[in-house]
Structures are given as structure tokens and as C-alpha cells.
Amino acid sequence: MKKSLVIITNFLIVLFTIFFVFLYVQNQSASMKAYNTENFMNMSIGMEQVTTNYLEGEQRLCDSWAAFINSRKMNMSEAMQYLKVAQRIQNISAHIINLDSLTGYSNKPKIDEPGEFKVSYQEIDIFSSINELLGQQDQVRVTRSYTNPMNGIQSIAFCDLLELKNDDTHKTEKAVLMRVIPVDLLYSKWVFPSEKYSDAQISIIDREGNYIIKGKSFKNSNFFEFYKSYNKINKENLEKLQSKIHETGMLTMHNSKVENCLIAHVPVNSSFDWTLLSYIPMTDIARHNIDWPLVLVVTLCLLVLLIFDILVFMIFNRKLAAAAQEAESASRAKTDFLSAMSHDIRTPMNAIIGYINIAEKEAKTKEELFDYLAKIKGSSHHLLALINDVLEMSRIESGKMELELVPVNLKRTIADVYTLFETQMAEKHIDFIVDVDKIENCGVYCDRNRLNRVLLNLVSNAYKFTPEHGKVSFVAKELTSA
């Protein structure tokens, strides 16, 4: 398989794995977003029930005060004395307001005038929306948020109708009993019971979009004004929004920071014109529990694995290339060796054939015949040694060839070489001279076959490169060691 194909295959496998991981992450993100959206909507519906229970509880408390006062046919003074005893919660107050004069008394004094308990609602229009509900049972009668004239705090009031005795006229006068609760005190009642929605906020609006309870991220004094301030909308779509917002559902919009947010709107069943708005940034909805560090580590490991595979593959290829080069060198060496051996083998073969021809034609006595046979025998031994060298090629290739040291007579060995080339030299009319007179010690220890090879190569090269009628001198002498 080609290197490029293997690398491309590995790269595609890693790329597919990374793509699959990220595709899985995106799919999980989309699934988690859909789950979070549905869960947020369900929790908003649950918060509507919490709101209903709270409003009904506060209304029942207000109704119980009104029922007690009406059953005792109290006047204004007696009713206020009762409320001072019944209502002792620090931040909550009780007001009784005459419906004709819109003035009355509070069970707690003004914040800047400790001795003043009179209160006036003549400048505050909060009763028009609940007049028709006063006196009706099983209804939550609560005002919109307004500024409490006694302490200047934004508040809402749960109301019920009173019939107070007038000691001067001996007639009953209609008044409104108000249980006044600061809006800030209500925020703790509308907190999502989940750390996942820690940034969620709740507001309550009336039919016109005015805030009854206002979350921190809700701007302007009216929700529809808030929507128009940060979202492009025409008149027709605004009218649809004003109608749709009082039905159960969801919408997305930009907040004051031009960030996408999700609004879940659920009508409050206990009130005829209230709607609960649950707000959460879309970043919280899109948040998921996918372990990004793990995904990144897996991706990084795959990339490292790919790089490691490529490096190992390159190193392996280099080793293969080196091994191939060594094999090629060995094959070339073997070819050169066989070529040289074929030349070396021809030399003793030519000598054998030459002496056989001479013996056949010129041998007249036994002595001459034995002399030719001896030369033929010497050439045969040399040929056998060459053939053994060829058969020992495995030793040459493995580098384990060993020298066989035996006693050798140098003059006799050189004489054998002379005998091998004598006929060939004569055929080429080359004057072949051998001089061994300067060898004093003929006996040496060496590898007979290797020495013969060396001498044969020397004389063979001399024969090969000497022209006809030339001269070849073989001079051997003994040198003293230094």
C-alpha cells in the first residue's frame, strides 16, 4: 500500500471521528436546549400555581379580618385598634380607606411623622380596577403595584369591603380594608427552585401590561413598552402580542443589553387580568452538561495518535528503504562476485583443457604424461576451491566467513599459479616470467584458497590487460619485519 494512501486513510478516520464527536455534541446541545426550554415552561406553569396559592392565602387572611370587623359592626377606631393587634408583621401594614373620601387610617404611622396615622389615596388611582370585585367571594382582589403613601415603598394591597358603623349618623359607611405588602417582600416568593435557573426572574403584569411585580431585568413601567424599546415590532404584531401574552406560551425577545432571552407567559387563574412572566437568558437555556474538556482531550489524543502513526510510518519506511538498499547492495555484490568467479573458474578450466590437449598431442613418455597430469590435478584442486567458495556464499552474505589456516609452501603455490596461466600466456604469445628466488622461508601459515584467489586475480588481471607479444613478470620476495 502506498504511503500517501495510508496517511490519507488515517487522516480520514481521525477526521471522521472528530466530526462524529462534534456532531454528537451539537445534537446533544440541541436536545438539551429543547429539554431546558420545555422544563422552563413547566416550571413557569408550576410557579403560576405557587402564585395562585400565595395570592389566595393572602386574600383569605384579608377576608378573615374583614369578616371579623363586619361581624362585630365596628367603627373606624375599633377596627384600627383590632388591626394593630392582628397585624404585627414588621414590613406589612393594614389600611382602612373610606370609599367616598378615599381617606382613612393606617395601623402603622408615617415613616417621617411617627405620630401620624392618617392616609390618603385621593392622588392614587388603584381602586377603579377592583371596585366590581369588592364584596365578591372566591376572588383575589389585589391592586397593581403603587407607592405606599405612608412610607414611599412600592407595594401591592389585598382588599375586601367593610361596612363600618358611623357613631355620629348611626349609619354604615362603605370602606376598603387593605393588607399592604411591599413588592420587595414578594420577590422571595417567586424564585425558581433550581440552581440551573439561578438567573431566571419573574414579573406579573395586568391586562394593560403594567407591572404588578417587576423583575430586575424588566425595564420601563409597562412590559409592552419594554418590548417595543428593544425589539422592532409594528402596530399589528404588537396588538397580537398584547392578546397572546395573556395565554399560556413562550416568546423570545431582546433585553436591554440586546441579548436573546426567553419569556414564558402563564395567566394567573386566581385573577381576571394578571399574567405571570418568567424571564431567562437564552444562554442559560442553551447551557448543557456536555463535558467539553473531555471532548477536547479526545480530539487532541486523536490528533496526537494521527501524528504518531505518521511518524512511526515514516520511520518504518526509512528502515524499509535502508533494508531494501542493503538487499540491493547485497544482490549487486553477489552479482559482482559471481561475475568475478565465472572469470576465475574459466582460468583453471582453460588450464585443464589446455594440458589435456597438450598431453594428447605431445606426451611421448610416461614422465611427460605424469607431468601434465600433475598440472591438470593442481588446476582441478584450484577449480574445486573456487567452487567451494561459490557454495559458501551464505557465509559471505552473513559476514561469518572464517579463514582456514594451514601450512602452505609459497614456491609451490606460485608454481601452481604459473602452471594455470602458462598455456593461456603461450597462446597470446606473452612472455610469462616467475621469480621466487628471493623467498628464503617457503613455509607459511595462511588460508590456501584465499591466497590462491589473490594470486590468480593478480595474474588474471595482468593477462587480461597485457597485449599480445607482451611480457608479464611475477616476482615474489621475502621482506624482513621492521
Side-chain angles (χ1 to χ4, degrees):
M1 185 179 293
K2 294 183 178 180
K3 178 175 71 175
S4 59
L5 182 60
V6 174
I7 293 176
I8 291 174
T9 303
N10 276 271
F11 179 78
L12 290 177
I13 292 174
V14 172
L15 190 64
F16 172 78
T17 305
I18 294 174
F19 174 76
F20 176 79
V21 169
F22 277 93
L23 189 66
Y24 174 79
V25 168
Q26 292 296 325
N27 183 62
Q28 287 296 101
S29 298
S31 299
M32 189 63 69
K33 182 178 179 180
Y35 169 78
N36 288 339
T37 301
E38 181 180 1
N39 190 46
F40 182 73
M41 186 67 212
N42 292 335
M43 294 191 72
S44 298
I45 294 174
M47 289 304 298
E48 183 278 329
Q49 187 60 48
V50 172
T51 302
T52 298
N53 293 339
Y54 176 78
L55 295 177
E56 290 178 348
E58 292 290 346
Q59 187 64 56
R60 281 195 295 270
L61 183 56
C62 183
D63 291 346
S64 66
W65 289 352
F68 183 82
I69 293 172
N70 288 332
S71 66
R72 298 296 190 275
K73 297 181 179 180
M74 295 181 181
N75 57 26
M76 177 68 77
S77 177
E78 292 171 338
M80 291 309 304
Q81 289 298 324
Y82 166 72
L83 290 176
K84 288 179 181 179
V85 175
Q87 172 50 46
R88 293 181 175 275
I89 300 176
Q90 182 178 0
N91 295 322
I92 298 178
S93 59
H95 297 175
I96 296 180
I97 305 300
N98 187 291
L99 284 178
D100 293 329
S101 63
L102 295 181
T103 60
Y105 292 88
S106 171
N107 69 333
K108 293 184 179 179
K110 285 188 176 182
I111 193 170
D112 54 350
E113 298 181 42
E116 182 61 59
F117 291 89
K118 289 183 179 181
V119 59
S120 173
Y121 279 83
Q122 292 175 345
E123 304 296 329
I124 305 173
D125 182 17
I126 60 172
F127 298 115
S128 59
S129 62
I130 63 171
N131 275 337
E132 61 186 36
L133 295 178
L134 290 175
Q136 295 185 19
Q137 299 298 317
D138 301 325
Q139 287 287 347
V140 174
R141 298 169 293 280
V142 63
T143 67
R144 62 172 175 82
S145 61
Y146 70 98
T147 301
N148 186 343
M150 298 301 287
N151 55 23
I153 297 175
Q154 283 293 114
S155 306
I156 62 171
F158 293 87
C159 305
D160 201 359
L161 188 63
L162 292 179
E163 292 185 355
L164 297 177
K165 182 177 66 174
N166 189 324
D167 293 335
D168 295 333
T169 62
H170 301 287
K171 293 181 180 180
T172 58
E173 296 178 346
K174 289 188 177 181
V176 176
L177 172 62
M178 304 173 63
R179 177 176 167 80
V180 184
I181 302 174
V183 172
D184 288 342
L185 191 64
L186 300 178
Y187 286 149
S188 61
K189 308 294 182 180
W190 284 276
V191 176
F192 273 83
S194 173
E195 294 182 358
K196 183 165 60 176
Y197 301 126
S198 58
D199 293 331
Q201 299 176 25
I202 288 180
S203 291
I204 297 178
I205 61 172
D206 61 16
R207 177 64 61 177
E208 288 73 31
N210 299 315
Y211 294 113
I212 305 299
I213 296 175
K214 182 180 178 182
K216 294 180 180 180
S217 294
F218 290 84
K219 305 301 179 182
N220 304 78
S221 60
N222 181 283
F223 174 74
F224 301 120
E225 293 297 325
F226 169 46
Y227 189 94
K228 288 192 298 181
S229 297
Y230 303 100
N231 300 267
K232 293 181 180 180
I233 188 170
N234 56 34
K235 183 177 179 180
E236 181 182 356
N237 289 332
L238 179 62
E239 291 176 354
K240 291 181 180 179
L241 174 64
Q242 291 172 340
S243 174
K244 184 180 178 181
I245 200 72
H246 298 292
E247 301 173 359
T248 300
M250 290 185 293
L251 61 90
T252 57
M253 61 175 287
H254 289 134
N255 60 14
S256 59
K257 298 179 181 179
V258 198
E259 299 171 340
N260 283 332
C261 60
L262 180 67
I263 303 291
H265 45 90
V266 183
V268 179
N269 293 331
S270 58
S271 175
F272 71 97
D273 64 353
W274 279 18
T275 297
L276 177 74
L277 302 180
S278 300
Y279 162 97
I280 190 170
M282 285 300 296
T283 52
D284 287 8
I285 289 294
R287 188 180 301 163
H288 45 74
N289 297 324
I290 295 174
D291 194 346
W292 278 108
L294 179 59
V295 173
L296 293 177
V297 168
V298 170
T299 302
L300 183 62
C301 288
L302 287 173
L303 292 175
V304 171
L305 180 61
L306 174 62
I307 295 173
F308 177 77
D309 284 347
I310 293 174
L311 291 176
V312 170
F313 187 77
M314 292 175 64
I315 293 172
F316 184 68
N317 274 353
R318 288 180 181 177
K319 291 183 177 180
L320 286 178
Q325 188 174 1
E326 290 178 2
E328 184 179 356
S329 299
S331 177
R332 191 182 301 113
K334 185 184 294 184
T335 302
D336 294 341
F337 175 80
L338 291 176
S339 176
M341 288 301 296
S342 64
H343 175 72
D344 292 343
I345 290 173
R346 282 196 296 271
T347 299
M349 283 297 296
N350 289 334
I352 293 171
I353 294 172
Y355 282 118
I356 290 175
N357 291 332
I358 293 172
E360 288 177 346
K361 294 178 181 180
E362 300 181 6
K364 297 178 180 178
T365 64
K366 283 187 177 181
E367 287 77 10
E368 291 179 348
L369 181 61
F370 286 150
D371 180 57
Y372 290 135
L373 290 176
K375 292 178 178 180
I376 292 171
K377 183 177 181 182
S379 297
S380 300
H381 285 305
H382 183 68
L383 178 61
L384 179 61
L386 292 175
I387 293 173
N388 288 335
D389 284 345
V390 174
L391 296 177
E392 291 180 357
M393 278 293 296
S394 60
R395 293 185 180 181
I396 297 174
E397 291 178 354
S398 63
K400 296 181 180 180
M401 185 177 67
E402 297 179 357
L403 296 177
E404 184 180 357
L405 300 180
V406 295
V408 176
N409 188 304
L410 288 178
K411 289 184 178 182
R412 185 177 299 170
T413 300
I414 294 173
D416 290 340
V417 172
Y418 175 83
T419 301
L420 288 173
F421 284 94
E422 181 182 10
T423 304
Q424 298 179 60
M425 294 289 188
E427 291 177 354
K428 200 175 178 182
H429 307 290
I430 295 175
D431 187 9
F432 186 28
I433 300 172
V434 175
D435 182 3
V436 293
D437 293 337
K438 295 181 180 180
I439 298 178
E440 297 179 1
N441 301 300
C442 298
V444 295
Y445 273 95
C446 67
D447 190 311
R448 184 193 306 275
N449 294 332
R450 305 299 179 270
L451 177 61
N452 284 337
R453 287 286 307 282
V454 172
L455 297 177
L456 285 173
N457 286 336
L458 290 173
V459 177
S460 176
N461 289 333
Y463 170 78
K464 186 186 303 182
F465 296 105
T466 300
E468 291 184 1
H469 306 287
K471 181 179 180 181
V472 174
S473 297
F474 191 143
V475 179
K477 61 181 179 179
E478 181 177 340
L479 298 176
T480 58
S481 59

